[in-house]
Structures are given as C-alpha cells and as structure tokens.
Amino acid sequence: MDTAQIDQVRRFNRTITERVGVLHDHYLGRDRPIGEARLLWEIGEHGRDVRWLRERLGLDSGYVSRLLRSLEKAGLITVEQRPEDKRLRTVRLTDAGRAERAVLDRRSDEVAGGLLAPLNPAQRARLVAALAEAERLLTAGTVSLDEVDPGHPDAQHCLRSFFAELSERLDTGFDPARSLLPDAGELRPPRGVFLVARLHGTPVGCAGLKLPADAPAEIKRMWVSPATRGLGLARRLIAELEGRAAAHGYELLRLDTNKVLTEAIRLYQACGFEEVPAFNTEPYAHHWFEKRIAATADPA
C-alpha cells in the first residue's frame, strides 16, 4: 500500500479528532467521553437492542457493557431484558437521557458550524462535498463479505428482497418457481458458495457461485440493497466470486441477466464479461455473459 496515502489518512485522523474535540474526556463540555455520548445518540427515541449497538459501532461486548453501566448509573438509560428471550437486552433513554441527548445534539451542531464558519461559501461547499465522499468511501470499507449457508436468515432476507425487486422491475413480474434458480445444495460447498454482504451487521447484499463438475462456474442470485448501491459492493462481490472460482481451478465464469437490469449489464461489461449466445434456458434472461479467468489451482 502507498505510504504517502497512509500518511495522508493519518494526518486527516489527527486533524479531525482535534477539531471535533474527541481527545477530551469531557466531550462537548459534558461530563462523559465520546463513547458514552455516541451511545446516547444511537439509542435514540425508541431504544435499541444491546446486540444492535455492538454491531453498529463495532465494539466488543465488555466495553459496551461498561459504557452502559456508566450511563445507567447516571440515570440516563434503562436496560431491560426482553420477555421472550432473557439473553437479549433493550436499552432506552430516560427523560434525563433524552434531555442530555438534546444538549449533545445542539453542541454537535455548534461544533459542525464552527468547522464551516471560518470558510468562504466556495470552501464550505468543497468541504461538505469532500466529507460526503469520504463518508461514502469509509462506509464502503466497513462492509464485510461473509460465506454463509443459503438457508441462513440473512441469506434468506437478501433473497426475498432480490425476488421482490425483480417482481417490481421485470415487465412480466418474477416467479421463483419458473426461474432456473439453483437449489440451496448447489450453493453449498463443495458444489458452490453463497456470500452475504453486511453493513454494521445488517445484510445488504448477496451473491452465489455454482461450481459444477462438468461446466463453467456461474454467478447466481447477485443482489445489492438500493440503500448501498454506489459503494462498489457489486464489483466486490464479483471480484470475490471470480477469485474463488479461479482458486477452484475454473477458467470460465458465466452469468445471465434480464434486459431491464441495464445497470447490471453495464457493470458486467465493465468487469470484463463479454456477451455470448444463450447457454441455458432461463425464462427471465435476455443476455448471457462469460469471462475468461486465470485458474490458480489444479481442478484435479
């Protein structure tokens, strides 16, 4: 990795932590560090599960528990066990917690305004645009790709969302029973792979890879949540599956798609896939693509 790029990121980290005041134990002039303040903000008006808070902030359970105990001792939150499952706990703000959160919100606005105030209008616009781009790229970097069983709840959530979107977008609607979708067994090792993309623990995309013994590898069931499109996630899924196919000794990767999915067609072409004659009888497909890949393992 480029050391100059690393140095620039570190300089940015030092600058922003100093400017927004996270170096102080009394964040925004209140009697608590930024970790506790951020938890109050994430809990919000309707409360949150402790597990969700850990996944959203990427914190270990012990640290989150210490922060919650401190906030509970201060009378800012309540922590309750869920009646249906006592292993799950829900955190809610008290009246004092809501008042504290309102103060933190107001002071956060003041800090943000302080960053913008010394700049002229053109500089403000540049800074806001740069921050939006930085947020987008940093968010993209927090998405994980995890191999799961196709029957996993996160996988099923993605597949239901995928089918629902196809039903809305395709002129003919979409009936999974008519499609040549692989059964779950074709997407489990050793016959295949199924990946789920997660952002802060929430499933936001999926893709499957068929690894048949007597045919090229094939990408199936690729979907990315509309809320996370533009983060390069579809390219990541394709690259990951391409690498896995190559590692299994395959030299050809296939996929098919519908004519209305124009953004998908452009993506496949940009990723090096070339259109070929139909290689299956998928009733919802109008375009078939292949890509030559370099096998990195002996298929024997």
Side-chain angles (χ1 to χ4, degrees), residues 52 64 99-100 118 128 146 150 154 186-187 202 209-210 218 225 261 271 280 283 300:
W52 185 93
V64 171
E100 178 68 10
V128 170
D146 306 307
D154 286 354
E186 293 180 280
L187 297 178
T202 300
L209 179 68
K210 290 176 60 177
E218 186 174 352
S225 165
L261 304 179
C271 289
N280 62 27

PDB file of all heavy atoms in Angstrom, residues 52 64 99-100 118 128 146 150 154 186-187 202 209-210 218 225 261 271 280 283 300:
ATOM      1  N   TRP A  52     -27.543  -4.920  18.782  1.00  0.00           N
ATOM      2  CA  TRP A  52     -27.531  -3.997  17.639  1.00  0.00           C
ATOM      3  C   TRP A  52     -26.504  -2.892  17.866  1.00  0.00           C
ATOM      4  O   TRP A  52     -25.768  -2.517  16.941  1.00  0.00           O
ATOM      5  CB  TRP A  52     -28.920  -3.391  17.444  1.00  0.00           C
ATOM      6  CG  TRP A  52     -29.028  -2.528  16.228  1.00  0.00           C
ATOM      7  CD1 TRP A  52     -29.439  -2.907  14.979  1.00  0.00           C
ATOM      8  CD2 TRP A  52     -28.722  -1.119  16.135  1.00  0.00           C
ATOM      9  NE1 TRP A  52     -29.398  -1.829  14.118  1.00  0.00           N
ATOM     10  CE2 TRP A  52     -28.958  -0.726  14.799  1.00  0.00           C
ATOM     11  CE3 TRP A  52     -28.261  -0.172  17.043  1.00  0.00           C
ATOM     12  CZ2 TRP A  52     -28.760   0.584  14.354  1.00  0.00           C
ATOM     13  CZ3 TRP A  52     -28.043   1.134  16.604  1.00  0.00           C
ATOM     14  CH2 TRP A  52     -28.295   1.502  15.283  1.00  0.00           C
ATOM     15  N   VAL A  64     -18.897  -2.186  25.650  1.00  0.00           N
ATOM     16  CA  VAL A  64     -20.259  -1.665  25.595  1.00  0.00           C
ATOM     17  C   VAL A  64     -20.934  -1.802  26.949  1.00  0.00           C
ATOM     18  O   VAL A  64     -21.637  -0.888  27.406  1.00  0.00           O
ATOM     19  CB  VAL A  64     -21.080  -2.388  24.501  1.00  0.00           C
ATOM     20  CG1 VAL A  64     -22.552  -2.016  24.594  1.00  0.00           C
ATOM     21  CG2 VAL A  64     -20.551  -2.032  23.124  1.00  0.00           C
ATOM     22  N   ALA A  99     -32.981  14.510  27.566  1.00  0.00           N
ATOM     23  CA  ALA A  99     -32.539  15.891  27.733  1.00  0.00           C
ATOM     24  C   ALA A  99     -31.042  16.009  27.440  1.00  0.00           C
ATOM     25  O   ALA A  99     -30.599  16.962  26.796  1.00  0.00           O
ATOM     26  CB  ALA A  99     -32.843  16.374  29.148  1.00  0.00           C
ATOM     27  N   GLU A 100     -30.262  15.038  27.922  1.00  0.00           N
ATOM     28  CA  GLU A 100     -28.824  15.053  27.671  1.00  0.00           C
ATOM     29  C   GLU A 100     -28.521  14.891  26.182  1.00  0.00           C
ATOM     30  O   GLU A 100     -27.630  15.551  25.636  1.00  0.00           O
ATOM     31  CB  GLU A 100     -28.146  13.941  28.472  1.00  0.00           C
ATOM     32  CG  GLU A 100     -26.649  13.832  28.264  1.00  0.00           C
ATOM     33  CD  GLU A 100     -25.879  15.013  28.817  1.00  0.00           C
ATOM     34  OE1 GLU A 100     -26.468  15.856  29.530  1.00  0.00           O
ATOM     35  OE2 GLU A 100     -24.667  15.113  28.531  1.00  0.00           O
ATOM     36  N   PRO A 118     -15.323  29.617   9.496  1.00  0.00           N
ATOM     37  CA  PRO A 118     -14.171  30.388   9.008  1.00  0.00           C
ATOM     38  C   PRO A 118     -13.993  30.341   7.492  1.00  0.00           C
ATOM     39  O   PRO A 118     -13.176  31.096   6.955  1.00  0.00           O
ATOM     40  CB  PRO A 118     -12.979  29.716   9.709  1.00  0.00           C
ATOM     41  CG  PRO A 118     -13.564  28.906  10.818  1.00  0.00           C
ATOM     42  CD  PRO A 118     -14.902  28.489  10.333  1.00  0.00           C
ATOM     43  N   VAL A 128     -17.962  20.253   2.412  1.00  0.00           N
ATOM     44  CA  VAL A 128     -19.130  19.386   2.574  1.00  0.00           C
ATOM     45  C   VAL A 128     -19.124  18.277   1.528  1.00  0.00           C
ATOM     46  O   VAL A 128     -19.415  17.110   1.831  1.00  0.00           O
ATOM     47  CB  VAL A 128     -20.424  20.223   2.489  1.00  0.00           C
ATOM     48  CG1 VAL A 128     -21.644  19.315   2.400  1.00  0.00           C
ATOM     49  CG2 VAL A 128     -20.537  21.140   3.698  1.00  0.00           C
ATOM     50  N   ASP A 146     -19.262 -12.283   3.919  1.00  0.00           N
ATOM     51  CA  ASP A 146     -19.185 -13.493   4.729  1.00  0.00           C
ATOM     52  C   ASP A 146     -19.815 -14.659   3.991  1.00  0.00           C
ATOM     53  O   ASP A 146     -20.920 -14.533   3.435  1.00  0.00           O
ATOM     54  CB  ASP A 146     -19.908 -13.292   6.060  1.00  0.00           C
ATOM     55  CG  ASP A 146     -19.397 -12.070   6.813  1.00  0.00           C
ATOM     56  OD1 ASP A 146     -18.174 -11.982   7.015  1.00  0.00           O
ATOM     57  OD2 ASP A 146     -20.218 -11.207   7.191  1.00  0.00           O
ATOM     58  N   PRO A 150     -26.958 -20.967   2.405  1.00  0.00           N
ATOM     59  CA  PRO A 150     -28.089 -20.301   1.747  1.00  0.00           C
ATOM     60  C   PRO A 150     -29.355 -20.261   2.588  1.00  0.00           C
ATOM     61  O   PRO A 150     -30.237 -19.423   2.346  1.00  0.00           O
ATOM     62  CB  PRO A 150     -28.301 -21.134   0.471  1.00  0.00           C
ATOM     63  CG  PRO A 150     -26.998 -21.803   0.234  1.00  0.00           C
ATOM     64  CD  PRO A 150     -26.399 -22.055   1.585  1.00  0.00           C
ATOM     65  N   ASP A 154     -29.993 -14.297   7.207  1.00  0.00           N
ATOM     66  CA  ASP A 154     -29.523 -13.141   6.434  1.00  0.00           C
ATOM     67  C   ASP A 154     -29.546 -13.431   4.943  1.00  0.00           C
ATOM     68  O   ASP A 154     -29.879 -12.560   4.131  1.00  0.00           O
ATOM     69  CB  ASP A 154     -28.112 -12.743   6.870  1.00  0.00           C
ATOM     70  CG  ASP A 154     -28.096 -12.054   8.231  1.00  0.00           C
ATOM     71  OD1 ASP A 154     -29.186 -11.785   8.772  1.00  0.00           O
ATOM     72  OD2 ASP A 154     -26.997 -11.792   8.743  1.00  0.00           O
ATOM     73  N   GLU A 186     -26.796 -26.503  -4.414  1.00  0.00           N
ATOM     74  CA  GLU A 186     -25.827 -26.098  -5.441  1.00  0.00           C
ATOM     75  C   GLU A 186     -25.004 -24.891  -5.032  1.00  0.00           C
ATOM     76  O   GLU A 186     -24.048 -24.531  -5.710  1.00  0.00           O
ATOM     77  CB  GLU A 186     -26.559 -25.788  -6.749  1.00  0.00           C
ATOM     78  CG  GLU A 186     -27.206 -26.981  -7.405  1.00  0.00           C
ATOM     79  CD  GLU A 186     -27.916 -26.591  -8.691  1.00  0.00           C
ATOM     80  OE1 GLU A 186     -29.054 -26.078  -8.605  1.00  0.00           O
ATOM     81  OE2 GLU A 186     -27.328 -26.782  -9.767  1.00  0.00           O
ATOM     82  N   LEU A 187     -25.367 -24.258  -3.923  1.00  0.00           N
ATOM     83  CA  LEU A 187     -24.625 -23.102  -3.443  1.00  0.00           C
ATOM     84  C   LEU A 187     -23.970 -23.369  -2.088  1.00  0.00           C
ATOM     85  O   LEU A 187     -23.592 -22.452  -1.382  1.00  0.00           O
ATOM     86  CB  LEU A 187     -25.557 -21.885  -3.353  1.00  0.00           C
ATOM     87  CG  LEU A 187     -26.156 -21.424  -4.683  1.00  0.00           C
ATOM     88  CD1 LEU A 187     -27.102 -20.253  -4.472  1.00  0.00           C
ATOM     89  CD2 LEU A 187     -25.064 -21.041  -5.683  1.00  0.00           C
ATOM     90  N   THR A 202     -25.962  -5.642   9.379  1.00  0.00           N
ATOM     91  CA  THR A 202     -27.213  -5.766   8.642  1.00  0.00           C
ATOM     92  C   THR A 202     -26.939  -6.287   7.231  1.00  0.00           C
ATOM     93  O   THR A 202     -26.057  -5.759   6.547  1.00  0.00           O
ATOM     94  CB  THR A 202     -27.917  -4.400   8.541  1.00  0.00           C
ATOM     95  OG1 THR A 202     -28.204  -3.923   9.857  1.00  0.00           O
ATOM     96  CG2 THR A 202     -29.211  -4.506   7.744  1.00  0.00           C
ATOM     97  N   LEU A 209     -22.300 -18.653  -6.082  1.00  0.00           N
ATOM     98  CA  LEU A 209     -21.402 -19.179  -7.120  1.00  0.00           C
ATOM     99  C   LEU A 209     -21.620 -20.677  -7.242  1.00  0.00           C
ATOM    100  O   LEU A 209     -21.436 -21.416  -6.271  1.00  0.00           O
ATOM    101  CB  LEU A 209     -19.949 -18.888  -6.746  1.00  0.00           C
ATOM    102  CG  LEU A 209     -18.887 -19.394  -7.723  1.00  0.00           C
ATOM    103  CD1 LEU A 209     -18.963 -18.613  -9.042  1.00  0.00           C
ATOM    104  CD2 LEU A 209     -17.489 -19.282  -7.112  1.00  0.00           C
ATOM    105  N   LYS A 210     -22.014 -21.122  -8.417  1.00  0.00           N
ATOM    106  CA  LYS A 210     -22.129 -22.548  -8.704  1.00  0.00           C
ATOM    107  C   LYS A 210     -20.783 -23.064  -9.190  1.00  0.00           C
ATOM    108  O   LYS A 210     -20.134 -22.431 -10.027  1.00  0.00           O
ATOM    109  CB  LYS A 210     -23.198 -22.793  -9.768  1.00  0.00           C
ATOM    110  CG  LYS A 210     -24.624 -22.544  -9.311  1.00  0.00           C
ATOM    111  CD  LYS A 210     -25.616 -22.706 -10.455  1.00  0.00           C
ATOM    112  CE  LYS A 210     -25.591 -24.102 -11.063  1.00  0.00           C
ATOM    113  NZ  LYS A 210     -26.612 -24.265 -12.128  1.00  0.00           N
ATOM    114  N   GLU A 218     -20.549 -20.402 -12.350  1.00  0.00           N
ATOM    115  CA  GLU A 218     -21.632 -19.488 -12.715  1.00  0.00           C
ATOM    116  C   GLU A 218     -22.079 -18.672 -11.502  1.00  0.00           C
ATOM    117  O   GLU A 218     -22.311 -19.216 -10.422  1.00  0.00           O
ATOM    118  CB  GLU A 218     -22.821 -20.280 -13.263  1.00  0.00           C
ATOM    119  CG  GLU A 218     -23.939 -19.408 -13.809  1.00  0.00           C
ATOM    120  CD  GLU A 218     -25.035 -20.237 -14.464  1.00  0.00           C
ATOM    121  OE1 GLU A 218     -24.855 -21.458 -14.622  1.00  0.00           O
ATOM    122  OE2 GLU A 218     -26.075 -19.640 -14.808  1.00  0.00           O
ATOM    123  N   SER A 225     -28.567  -4.115  -1.923  1.00  0.00           N
ATOM    124  CA  SER A 225     -29.618  -3.235  -1.421  1.00  0.00           C
ATOM    125  C   SER A 225     -29.540  -1.871  -2.089  1.00  0.00           C
ATOM    126  O   SER A 225     -28.451  -1.306  -2.243  1.00  0.00           O
ATOM    127  CB  SER A 225     -29.475  -3.077   0.089  1.00  0.00           C
ATOM    128  OG  SER A 225     -30.234  -1.985   0.562  1.00  0.00           O
ATOM    129  N   LEU A 261     -32.421  -4.807 -16.509  1.00  0.00           N
ATOM    130  CA  LEU A 261     -31.388  -4.546 -15.499  1.00  0.00           C
ATOM    131  C   LEU A 261     -30.173  -3.923 -16.182  1.00  0.00           C
ATOM    132  O   LEU A 261     -29.072  -4.480 -16.188  1.00  0.00           O
ATOM    133  CB  LEU A 261     -31.032  -5.828 -14.757  1.00  0.00           C
ATOM    134  CG  LEU A 261     -32.220  -6.552 -14.096  1.00  0.00           C
ATOM    135  CD1 LEU A 261     -31.755  -7.823 -13.405  1.00  0.00           C
ATOM    136  CD2 LEU A 261     -32.921  -5.629 -13.099  1.00  0.00           C
ATOM    137  N   CYS A 271     -16.651  -5.118 -15.919  1.00  0.00           N
ATOM    138  CA  CYS A 271     -15.841  -6.102 -15.202  1.00  0.00           C
ATOM    139  C   CYS A 271     -15.193  -7.122 -16.128  1.00  0.00           C
ATOM    140  O   CYS A 271     -14.569  -8.082 -15.659  1.00  0.00           O
ATOM    141  CB  CYS A 271     -16.684  -6.827 -14.160  1.00  0.00           C
ATOM    142  SG  CYS A 271     -17.148  -5.790 -12.739  1.00  0.00           S
ATOM    143  N   ASN A 280     -28.207 -21.349 -21.412  1.00  0.00           N
ATOM    144  CA  ASN A 280     -29.221 -22.047 -20.627  1.00  0.00           C
ATOM    145  C   ASN A 280     -30.594 -21.606 -21.130  1.00  0.00           C
ATOM    146  O   ASN A 280     -30.697 -20.811 -22.065  1.00  0.00           O
ATOM    147  CB  ASN A 280     -29.050 -21.791 -19.118  1.00  0.00           C
ATOM    148  CG  ASN A 280     -29.199 -20.308 -18.758  1.00  0.00           C
ATOM    149  OD1 ASN A 280     -29.882 -19.545 -19.450  1.00  0.00           O
ATOM    150  ND2 ASN A 280     -28.561 -19.913 -17.665  1.00  0.00           N
ATOM    151  N   PRO A 283     -35.930 -18.497 -18.354  1.00  0.00           N
ATOM    152  CA  PRO A 283     -37.015 -17.751 -18.989  1.00  0.00           C
ATOM    153  C   PRO A 283     -36.949 -16.247 -18.749  1.00  0.00           C
ATOM    154  O   PRO A 283     -37.525 -15.470 -19.515  1.00  0.00           O
ATOM    155  CB  PRO A 283     -38.277 -18.356 -18.382  1.00  0.00           C
ATOM    156  CG  PRO A 283     -37.838 -18.941 -17.080  1.00  0.00           C
ATOM    157  CD  PRO A 283     -36.443 -19.423 -17.315  1.00  0.00           C
ATOM    158  N   ALA A 300      -7.942 -30.804 -10.687  1.00  0.00           N
ATOM    159  CA  ALA A 300      -7.851 -32.227 -10.343  1.00  0.00           C
ATOM    160  C   ALA A 300      -7.503 -32.394  -8.872  1.00  0.00           C
ATOM    161  O   ALA A 300      -7.712 -33.448  -8.303  1.00  0.00           O
ATOM    162  CB  ALA A 300      -6.814 -32.922 -11.195  1.00  0.00           C
TER     163      ALA A 300
END
